Amino acid sequence: MKTVLVEEAQFDLSISRLKEGSIFGALSEPSVQYLLDEGILKHAYKDDEVFSYGSKGGNFNIVLHGSLAFYKHHNNQNTLTRTIHFGEVIGFVSMIALHDHVGSLYAQEESLLLEISSNLFSDFHDNFPFDFGILLMNLSRDMARTIRTLSNALVENNAIIEK
């Protein structure tokens, strides 16, 4: 995996294309451009590790091209629990919860990611307060979809959640 500049990216990074993704939907063009300019673009190749179990969760990644596979670690086992596609986010929960990553993330194919650090997230709030509210709603909606998918899997497997 390597860091690239916007002008080096081999994929369509036009604002109109990015706004087709669920995370950027309804954000203003200047706010999307700000995230693109201030975030870190990462070009991942098939099977590259994006982050590992136990690594610090001080950022999240938005998939701008390609797809990622998240393997949840629990009881010394790793299980594929989620595939992340264009316009979706991974790592937001760890960043907000202030905990280390609970699994490992790999590129399933050549992919382009936009890394948003917790500092950039805070700066985005200060510089684009209205758009920050929309981004937070989009991130919450993404989390809600993931929770629904995982809870459906619990039902399908007759699993009971113990507290």
Side-chain angles (χ1 to χ4, degrees):
M1 189 164 62
K2 66 179 183 176
T3 301
V4 296
L5 300 173
V6 170
E7 52 274 4
E8 296 174 335
Q10 304 168 353
F11 308 105
D12 183 0
L13 295 180
S14 65
I15 302 300
S16 60
R17 168 72 174 127
L18 295 179
K19 286 176 57 88
E20 292 174 13
S22 64
I23 291 303
F24 293 120
L27 292 177
S28 69
E29 289 188 13
S31 71
V32 174
Q33 189 64 55
Y34 176 81
L35 291 173
L36 195 57
D37 292 343
E38 300 300 321
I40 299 172
L41 276 180
K42 294 186 174 182
H43 188 135
Y45 297 93
K46 185 177 181 352
D47 300 325
D48 277 356
E49 184 177 67
V50 177
F51 61 70
S52 61
Y53 169 70
S55 62
K56 295 292 177 204
N59 58 56
F60 63 92
N61 289 282
I62 303 169
V63 178
L64 303 183
H65 179 83
S67 61
L68 308 172
F70 179 72
Y71 290 84
K72 173 74 169 83
H73 181 85
H74 182 69
N75 287 339
N76 293 318
Q77 295 180 15
N78 292 304
T79 301
L80 175 64
T81 59
R82 185 170 173 216
T83 302
I84 302 91
H85 301 281
F86 168 73
E88 296 177 339
V89 169
I90 186 74
F92 180 69
V93 172
S94 294
M95 184 188 85
I96 290 299
L98 301 173
H99 64 71
D100 296 341
H101 291 292
V102 296
S104 298
L105 184 67
Y106 298 93
Q108 288 188 311
E109 60 187 306
E110 188 174 12
S111 301
L112 187 65
L113 315 173
L114 178 61
E115 181 182 294
I116 306 296
S117 68
S118 59
N119 287 337
L120 176 55
F121 191 65
S122 175
D123 291 345
F124 187 72
H125 171 267
D126 295 341
N127 292 314
F128 295 91
F130 181 78
D131 289 290
F132 180 82
I134 294 170
L135 178 62
L136 206 51
M137 190 178 333
N138 291 345
L139 289 162
S140 299
R141 190 175 293 124
D142 187 65
M143 282 191 306
R145 289 179 185 131
T146 300
I147 290 168
R148 183 185 58 221
T149 299
L150 294 174
S151 64
N152 287 346
L154 290 171
V155 170
E156 290 168 7
N157 291 288
N158 293 317
I160 298 172
I161 297 175
E162 299 287 335
K163 287 189 176 186

mmCIF file with all atom_site columns, all heavy atoms in Angstrom, residues 130-146:
data_model
loop_
_atom_site.group_PDB
_atom_site.id
_atom_site.type_symbol
_atom_site.label_atom_id
_atom_site.label_alt_id
_atom_site.label_comp_id
_atom_site.label_asym_id
_atom_site.label_entity_id
_atom_site.label_seq_id
_atom_site.pdbx_PDB_ins_code
_atom_site.Cartn_x
_atom_site.Cartn_y
_atom_site.Cartn_z
_atom_site.occupancy
_atom_site.B_iso_or_equiv
_atom_site.pdbx_formal_charge
_atom_site.auth_seq_id
_atom_site.auth_comp_id
_atom_site.auth_asym_id
_atom_site.auth_atom_id
_atom_site.pdbx_PDB_model_num
ATOM 1   N N   . PHE A 1 130 ? -22.127 22.746 8.994  1.00 0.00 ? 130 PHE A N   1
ATOM 2   C CA  . PHE A 1 130 ? -23.350 22.191 8.415  1.00 0.00 ? 130 PHE A CA  1
ATOM 3   C C   . PHE A 1 130 ? -23.070 20.843 7.751  1.00 0.00 ? 130 PHE A C   1
ATOM 4   O O   . PHE A 1 130 ? -23.786 19.865 7.970  1.00 0.00 ? 130 PHE A O   1
ATOM 5   C CB  . PHE A 1 130 ? -23.970 23.167 7.406  1.00 0.00 ? 130 PHE A CB  1
ATOM 6   C CG  . PHE A 1 130 ? -25.240 22.648 6.797  1.00 0.00 ? 130 PHE A CG  1
ATOM 7   C CD1 . PHE A 1 130 ? -26.428 22.701 7.499  1.00 0.00 ? 130 PHE A CD1 1
ATOM 8   C CD2 . PHE A 1 130 ? -25.229 22.090 5.526  1.00 0.00 ? 130 PHE A CD2 1
ATOM 9   C CE1 . PHE A 1 130 ? -27.612 22.203 6.946  1.00 0.00 ? 130 PHE A CE1 1
ATOM 10  C CE2 . PHE A 1 130 ? -26.402 21.591 4.963  1.00 0.00 ? 130 PHE A CE2 1
ATOM 11  C CZ  . PHE A 1 130 ? -27.592 21.652 5.673  1.00 0.00 ? 130 PHE A CZ  1
ATOM 12  N N   . ASP A 1 131 ? -22.007 20.801 6.953  1.00 0.00 ? 131 ASP A N   1
ATOM 13  C CA  . ASP A 1 131 ? -21.645 19.556 6.272  1.00 0.00 ? 131 ASP A CA  1
ATOM 14  C C   . ASP A 1 131 ? -21.212 18.480 7.267  1.00 0.00 ? 131 ASP A C   1
ATOM 15  O O   . ASP A 1 131 ? -21.423 17.293 7.030  1.00 0.00 ? 131 ASP A O   1
ATOM 16  C CB  . ASP A 1 131 ? -20.526 19.810 5.252  1.00 0.00 ? 131 ASP A CB  1
ATOM 17  C CG  . ASP A 1 131 ? -21.030 20.583 4.054  1.00 0.00 ? 131 ASP A CG  1
ATOM 18  O OD1 . ASP A 1 131 ? -21.798 20.017 3.262  1.00 0.00 ? 131 ASP A OD1 1
ATOM 19  O OD2 . ASP A 1 131 ? -20.661 21.767 3.918  1.00 0.00 ? 131 ASP A OD2 1
ATOM 20  N N   . PHE A 1 132 ? -20.607 18.900 8.379  1.00 0.00 ? 132 PHE A N   1
ATOM 21  C CA  . PHE A 1 132 ? -20.226 17.948 9.419  1.00 0.00 ? 132 PHE A CA  1
ATOM 22  C C   . PHE A 1 132 ? -21.466 17.209 9.933  1.00 0.00 ? 132 PHE A C   1
ATOM 23  O O   . PHE A 1 132 ? -21.436 15.995 10.126 1.00 0.00 ? 132 PHE A O   1
ATOM 24  C CB  . PHE A 1 132 ? -19.513 18.645 10.572 1.00 0.00 ? 132 PHE A CB  1
ATOM 25  C CG  . PHE A 1 132 ? -19.089 17.707 11.666 1.00 0.00 ? 132 PHE A CG  1
ATOM 26  C CD1 . PHE A 1 132 ? -17.919 16.970 11.542 1.00 0.00 ? 132 PHE A CD1 1
ATOM 27  C CD2 . PHE A 1 132 ? -19.860 17.544 12.807 1.00 0.00 ? 132 PHE A CD2 1
ATOM 28  C CE1 . PHE A 1 132 ? -17.525 16.089 12.548 1.00 0.00 ? 132 PHE A CE1 1
ATOM 29  C CE2 . PHE A 1 132 ? -19.479 16.676 13.810 1.00 0.00 ? 132 PHE A CE2 1
ATOM 30  C CZ  . PHE A 1 132 ? -18.306 15.940 13.682 1.00 0.00 ? 132 PHE A CZ  1
ATOM 31  N N   . GLY A 1 133 ? -22.549 17.936 10.133 1.00 0.00 ? 133 GLY A N   1
ATOM 32  C CA  . GLY A 1 133 ? -23.795 17.305 10.571 1.00 0.00 ? 133 GLY A CA  1
ATOM 33  C C   . GLY A 1 133 ? -24.293 16.278 9.566  1.00 0.00 ? 133 GLY A C   1
ATOM 34  O O   . GLY A 1 133 ? -24.732 15.179 9.937  1.00 0.00 ? 133 GLY A O   1
ATOM 35  N N   . ILE A 1 134 ? -24.204 16.608 8.293  1.00 0.00 ? 134 ILE A N   1
ATOM 36  C CA  . ILE A 1 134 ? -24.617 15.671 7.238  1.00 0.00 ? 134 ILE A CA  1
ATOM 37  C C   . ILE A 1 134 ? -23.682 14.468 7.220  1.00 0.00 ? 134 ILE A C   1
ATOM 38  O O   . ILE A 1 134 ? -24.132 13.315 7.123  1.00 0.00 ? 134 ILE A O   1
ATOM 39  C CB  . ILE A 1 134 ? -24.645 16.371 5.861  1.00 0.00 ? 134 ILE A CB  1
ATOM 40  C CG1 . ILE A 1 134 ? -25.744 17.430 5.843  1.00 0.00 ? 134 ILE A CG1 1
ATOM 41  C CG2 . ILE A 1 134 ? -24.861 15.354 4.742  1.00 0.00 ? 134 ILE A CG2 1
ATOM 42  C CD1 . ILE A 1 134 ? -25.701 18.335 4.637  1.00 0.00 ? 134 ILE A CD1 1
ATOM 43  N N   . LEU A 1 135 ? -22.366 14.717 7.322  1.00 0.00 ? 135 LEU A N   1
ATOM 44  C CA  . LEU A 1 135 ? -21.406 13.614 7.341  1.00 0.00 ? 135 LEU A CA  1
ATOM 45  C C   . LEU A 1 135 ? -21.680 12.683 8.518  1.00 0.00 ? 135 LEU A C   1
ATOM 46  O O   . LEU A 1 135 ? -21.658 11.458 8.369  1.00 0.00 ? 135 LEU A O   1
ATOM 47  C CB  . LEU A 1 135 ? -19.971 14.145 7.401  1.00 0.00 ? 135 LEU A CB  1
ATOM 48  C CG  . LEU A 1 135 ? -18.867 13.086 7.466  1.00 0.00 ? 135 LEU A CG  1
ATOM 49  C CD1 . LEU A 1 135 ? -18.871 12.203 6.221  1.00 0.00 ? 135 LEU A CD1 1
ATOM 50  C CD2 . LEU A 1 135 ? -17.516 13.741 7.665  1.00 0.00 ? 135 LEU A CD2 1
ATOM 51  N N   . LEU A 1 136 ? -21.945 13.255 9.672  1.00 0.00 ? 136 LEU A N   1
ATOM 52  C CA  . LEU A 1 136 ? -22.236 12.445 10.855 1.00 0.00 ? 136 LEU A CA  1
ATOM 53  C C   . LEU A 1 136 ? -23.499 11.604 10.643 1.00 0.00 ? 136 LEU A C   1
ATOM 54  O O   . LEU A 1 136 ? -23.545 10.433 11.035 1.00 0.00 ? 136 LEU A O   1
ATOM 55  C CB  . LEU A 1 136 ? -22.369 13.341 12.084 1.00 0.00 ? 136 LEU A CB  1
ATOM 56  C CG  . LEU A 1 136 ? -22.061 12.714 13.420 1.00 0.00 ? 136 LEU A CG  1
ATOM 57  C CD1 . LEU A 1 136 ? -20.722 11.992 13.423 1.00 0.00 ? 136 LEU A CD1 1
ATOM 58  C CD2 . LEU A 1 136 ? -22.078 13.771 14.502 1.00 0.00 ? 136 LEU A CD2 1
ATOM 59  N N   . MET A 1 137 ? -24.500 12.182 9.987  1.00 0.00 ? 137 MET A N   1
ATOM 60  C CA  . MET A 1 137 ? -25.710 11.424 9.681  1.00 0.00 ? 137 MET A CA  1
ATOM 61  C C   . MET A 1 137 ? -25.390 10.284 8.695  1.00 0.00 ? 137 MET A C   1
ATOM 62  O O   . MET A 1 137 ? -25.856 9.152  8.863  1.00 0.00 ? 137 MET A O   1
ATOM 63  C CB  . MET A 1 137 ? -26.784 12.329 9.090  1.00 0.00 ? 137 MET A CB  1
ATOM 64  C CG  . MET A 1 137 ? -28.128 11.647 8.985  1.00 0.00 ? 137 MET A CG  1
ATOM 65  S SD  . MET A 1 137 ? -29.485 12.662 8.346  1.00 0.00 ? 137 MET A SD  1
ATOM 66  C CE  . MET A 1 137 ? -29.044 14.319 8.749  1.00 0.00 ? 137 MET A CE  1
ATOM 67  N N   . ASN A 1 138 ? -24.584 10.571 7.689  1.00 0.00 ? 138 ASN A N   1
ATOM 68  C CA  . ASN A 1 138 ? -24.196 9.541  6.723  1.00 0.00 ? 138 ASN A CA  1
ATOM 69  C C   . ASN A 1 138 ? -23.406 8.421  7.400  1.00 0.00 ? 138 ASN A C   1
ATOM 70  O O   . ASN A 1 138 ? -23.614 7.238  7.113  1.00 0.00 ? 138 ASN A O   1
ATOM 71  C CB  . ASN A 1 138 ? -23.388 10.149 5.578  1.00 0.00 ? 138 ASN A CB  1
ATOM 72  C CG  . ASN A 1 138 ? -24.211 11.049 4.689  1.00 0.00 ? 138 ASN A CG  1
ATOM 73  O OD1 . ASN A 1 138 ? -25.440 11.035 4.726  1.00 0.00 ? 138 ASN A OD1 1
ATOM 74  N ND2 . ASN A 1 138 ? -23.539 11.843 3.884  1.00 0.00 ? 138 ASN A ND2 1
ATOM 75  N N   . LEU A 1 139 ? -22.486 8.788  8.293  1.00 0.00 ? 139 LEU A N   1
ATOM 76  C CA  . LEU A 1 139 ? -21.707 7.790  9.027  1.00 0.00 ? 139 LEU A CA  1
ATOM 77  C C   . LEU A 1 139 ? -22.614 6.955  9.935  1.00 0.00 ? 139 LEU A C   1
ATOM 78  O O   . LEU A 1 139 ? -22.464 5.728  10.026 1.00 0.00 ? 139 LEU A O   1
ATOM 79  C CB  . LEU A 1 139 ? -20.609 8.463  9.847  1.00 0.00 ? 139 LEU A CB  1
ATOM 80  C CG  . LEU A 1 139 ? -19.455 9.051  9.042  1.00 0.00 ? 139 LEU A CG  1
ATOM 81  C CD1 . LEU A 1 139 ? -18.662 10.053 9.877  1.00 0.00 ? 139 LEU A CD1 1
ATOM 82  C CD2 . LEU A 1 139 ? -18.558 7.958  8.515  1.00 0.00 ? 139 LEU A CD2 1
ATOM 83  N N   . SER A 1 140 ? -23.563 7.597  10.586 1.00 0.00 ? 140 SER A N   1
ATOM 84  C CA  . SER A 1 140 ? -24.509 6.882  11.449 1.00 0.00 ? 140 SER A CA  1
ATOM 85  C C   . SER A 1 140 ? -25.375 5.936  10.637 1.00 0.00 ? 140 SER A C   1
ATOM 86  O O   . SER A 1 140 ? -25.643 4.804  11.056 1.00 0.00 ? 140 SER A O   1
ATOM 87  C CB  . SER A 1 140 ? -25.401 7.878  12.198 1.00 0.00 ? 140 SER A CB  1
ATOM 88  O OG  . SER A 1 140 ? -24.635 8.718  13.017 1.00 0.00 ? 140 SER A OG  1
ATOM 89  N N   . ARG A 1 141 ? -25.814 6.384  9.480  1.00 0.00 ? 141 ARG A N   1
ATOM 90  C CA  . ARG A 1 141 ? -26.625 5.538  8.591  1.00 0.00 ? 141 ARG A CA  1
ATOM 91  C C   . ARG A 1 141 ? -25.818 4.311  8.161  1.00 0.00 ? 141 ARG A C   1
ATOM 92  O O   . ARG A 1 141 ? -26.334 3.193  8.140  1.00 0.00 ? 141 ARG A O   1
ATOM 93  C CB  . ARG A 1 141 ? -27.068 6.357  7.377  1.00 0.00 ? 141 ARG A CB  1
ATOM 94  C CG  . ARG A 1 141 ? -28.103 5.675  6.520  1.00 0.00 ? 141 ARG A CG  1
ATOM 95  C CD  . ARG A 1 141 ? -28.604 6.582  5.401  1.00 0.00 ? 141 ARG A CD  1
ATOM 96  N NE  . ARG A 1 141 ? -29.355 7.700  5.963  1.00 0.00 ? 141 ARG A NE  1
ATOM 97  C CZ  . ARG A 1 141 ? -29.081 8.993  5.747  1.00 0.00 ? 141 ARG A CZ  1
ATOM 98  N NH1 . ARG A 1 141 ? -28.063 9.333  4.980  1.00 0.00 ? 141 ARG A NH1 1
ATOM 99  N NH2 . ARG A 1 141 ? -29.806 9.934  6.293  1.00 0.00 ? 141 ARG A NH2 1
ATOM 100 N N   . ASP A 1 142 ? -24.540 4.516  7.850  1.00 0.00 ? 142 ASP A N   1
ATOM 101 C CA  . ASP A 1 142 ? -23.669 3.401  7.469  1.00 0.00 ? 142 ASP A CA  1
ATOM 102 C C   . ASP A 1 142 ? -23.532 2.407  8.623  1.00 0.00 ? 142 ASP A C   1
ATOM 103 O O   . ASP A 1 142 ? -23.616 1.197  8.421  1.00 0.00 ? 142 ASP A O   1
ATOM 104 C CB  . ASP A 1 142 ? -22.299 3.951  7.055  1.00 0.00 ? 142 ASP A CB  1
ATOM 105 C CG  . ASP A 1 142 ? -21.385 2.893  6.492  1.00 0.00 ? 142 ASP A CG  1
ATOM 106 O OD1 . ASP A 1 142 ? -21.700 2.341  5.415  1.00 0.00 ? 142 ASP A OD1 1
ATOM 107 O OD2 . ASP A 1 142 ? -20.335 2.620  7.119  1.00 0.00 ? 142 ASP A OD2 1
ATOM 108 N N   . MET A 1 143 ? -23.350 2.924  9.847  1.00 0.00 ? 143 MET A N   1
ATOM 109 C CA  . MET A 1 143 ? -23.268 2.043  11.023 1.00 0.00 ? 143 MET A CA  1
ATOM 110 C C   . MET A 1 143 ? -24.576 1.290  11.233 1.00 0.00 ? 143 MET A C   1
ATOM 111 O O   . MET A 1 143 ? -24.570 0.099  11.550 1.00 0.00 ? 143 MET A O   1
ATOM 112 C CB  . MET A 1 143 ? -22.935 2.839  12.282 1.00 0.00 ? 143 MET A CB  1
ATOM 113 C CG  . MET A 1 143 ? -21.489 3.217  12.418 1.00 0.00 ? 143 MET A CG  1
ATOM 114 S SD  . MET A 1 143 ? -21.075 3.879  14.054 1.00 0.00 ? 143 MET A SD  1
ATOM 115 C CE  . MET A 1 143 ? -22.237 5.203  14.248 1.00 0.00 ? 143 MET A CE  1
ATOM 116 N N   . ALA A 1 144 ? -25.693 1.975  11.056 1.00 0.00 ? 144 ALA A N   1
ATOM 117 C CA  . ALA A 1 144 ? -26.995 1.335  11.244 1.00 0.00 ? 144 ALA A CA  1
ATOM 118 C C   . ALA A 1 144 ? -27.198 0.195  10.252 1.00 0.00 ? 144 ALA A C   1
ATOM 119 O O   . ALA A 1 144 ? -27.713 -0.875 10.618 1.00 0.00 ? 144 ALA A O   1
ATOM 120 C CB  . ALA A 1 144 ? -28.115 2.370  11.105 1.00 0.00 ? 144 ALA A CB  1
ATOM 121 N N   . ARG A 1 145 ? -26.784 0.387  9.007  1.00 0.00 ? 145 ARG A N   1
ATOM 122 C CA  . ARG A 1 145 ? -26.900 -0.682 7.999  1.00 0.00 ? 145 ARG A CA  1
ATOM 123 C C   . ARG A 1 145 ? -26.046 -1.885 8.393  1.00 0.00 ? 145 ARG A C   1
ATOM 124 O O   . ARG A 1 145 ? -26.455 -3.033 8.244  1.00 0.00 ? 145 ARG A O   1
ATOM 125 C CB  . ARG A 1 145 ? -26.478 -0.160 6.632  1.00 0.00 ? 145 ARG A CB  1
ATOM 126 C CG  . ARG A 1 145 ? -27.449 0.813  6.023  1.00 0.00 ? 145 ARG A CG  1
ATOM 127 C CD  . ARG A 1 145 ? -26.949 1.317  4.669  1.00 0.00 ? 145 ARG A CD  1
ATOM 128 N NE  . ARG A 1 145 ? -27.833 2.337  4.150  1.00 0.00 ? 145 ARG A NE  1
ATOM 129 C CZ  . ARG A 1 145 ? -27.432 3.509  3.672  1.00 0.00 ? 145 ARG A CZ  1
ATOM 130 N NH1 . ARG A 1 145 ? -26.145 3.810  3.637  1.00 0.00 ? 145 ARG A NH1 1
ATOM 131 N NH2 . ARG A 1 145 ? -28.307 4.373  3.216  1.00 0.00 ? 145 ARG A NH2 1
ATOM 132 N N   . THR A 1 146 ? -24.854 -1.610 8.912  1.00 0.00 ? 146 THR A N   1
ATOM 133 C CA  . THR A 1 146 ? -23.972 -2.694 9.347  1.00 0.00 ? 146 THR A CA  1
ATOM 134 C C   . THR A 1 146 ? -24.576 -3.437 10.533 1.00 0.00 ? 146 THR A C   1
ATOM 135 O O   . THR A 1 146 ? -24.562 -4.676 10.571 1.00 0.00 ? 146 THR A O   1
ATOM 136 C CB  . THR A 1 146 ? -22.579 -2.139 9.707  1.00 0.00 ? 146 THR A CB  1
ATOM 137 O OG1 . THR A 1 146 ? -22.027 -1.508 8.550  1.00 0.00 ? 146 THR A OG1 1
ATOM 138 C CG2 . THR A 1 146 ? -21.650 -3.236 10.173 1.00 0.00 ? 146 THR A CG2 1
#
